[in-house]
Amino acid sequence: YKADCVVFDKTGTLTNGAPALTDVCPCSGVQPETLVRLAAALEQCSDHPLVRAVTAYAQQQSDAPLPPAEDFSYALGRGVRGTVAGAAVVCGSRTWLHELGIDMAALAALPDLRAQAKTELCVARGGVVLGTLGIADTRKSEAAAVVAQLRAAGKEVWMMTGDHVLSEVRPDEKAAAIERLRARGKTVCMVGDGINDTPALAVADCAVAMGGGSDIAIESAGILLPSGNLEKLPELFDISRTTIRTIRQNLTWALFYNLVSIPVAALGVLHPSICATAMSASSIGVLMHSLRLKDSGKKERRFPWKKKS
């Protein structure tokens, strides 16, 4: 409940995890079909959920088999490369293609799909950029409301992904990004679902995994949202706050009770049987007070940052 910074993974956490190819933007003189099939030929060797959208789109457009890719390699969080029909093909982020020495000037005439909150794949063949592909994943219906609730509660909200806010973050850099937030004095709650979120989940002060996520992410997290419904996240903070308050109330009562009853019992003012009964009654009282937490999830929760109608 002390977390003042909530970091979300995007794919599968804020989105439904069912990406689709939405934009085909070829450079001048390049056919859209050529761009898609070339990217799909290379991406068919990868099992990343985003690139499956490319191969699925290519298969829908044509029944012809995709050409095989050779010398396939994967750069973590950046893209893939290989040889298709005797030509070197690269498919990945703008940053990576630029690092490989590929001239990206031709993309200036194309829309920047990153500004549209889409994953952008740049395709190059033989060192020449051919165009870009845009992949979008539908946002969970409750995502915007949950983020608004968390912000209204005074929490700093980030989205960490390879594309956008805290952008160009490779999977092996996510943990370092969390550490940087902690170095700024933030108490960080990380919310993720995939294998590449595991390092970040492990180093965060509080880790929440989605129920439909990978097994290793669930094992790395301290809290699991079985339904994957983000609406439970604000409720999680509310329950945590209520639990800590209940524990403190129980400790205060137990301390007060013992400060009064122990001296009375030691002086022999009360019969031992009465003291034993009183001690049992105190323990039962603490237990019943704690059991009030069980009923908190059975009624509609009223978050302290919501305005009551």
Side-chain angles (χ1 to χ4, degrees), residues 1-5 155 187-188 237 240 244 248:
Y1 82 101
K2 292 183 178 180
D4 54 10
C5 181
K155 300 187 185 299
T187 303
V188 181
F237 288 103
S240 175
I244 295 298
R248 288 173 175 169

Side-chain angles (χ1 to χ4, degrees), residues 19 24 26 45 51 117 141 155-156 170 183 189 191 223 253 255 262 270:
V24 179
C45 300
V51 301
S141 58
K155 300 187 185 299
E156 187 175 317
R170 300 195 304 270
C189 174
V191 186
I223 301 171
W253 161 250
L255 178 62
I262 290 177
L270 298 177

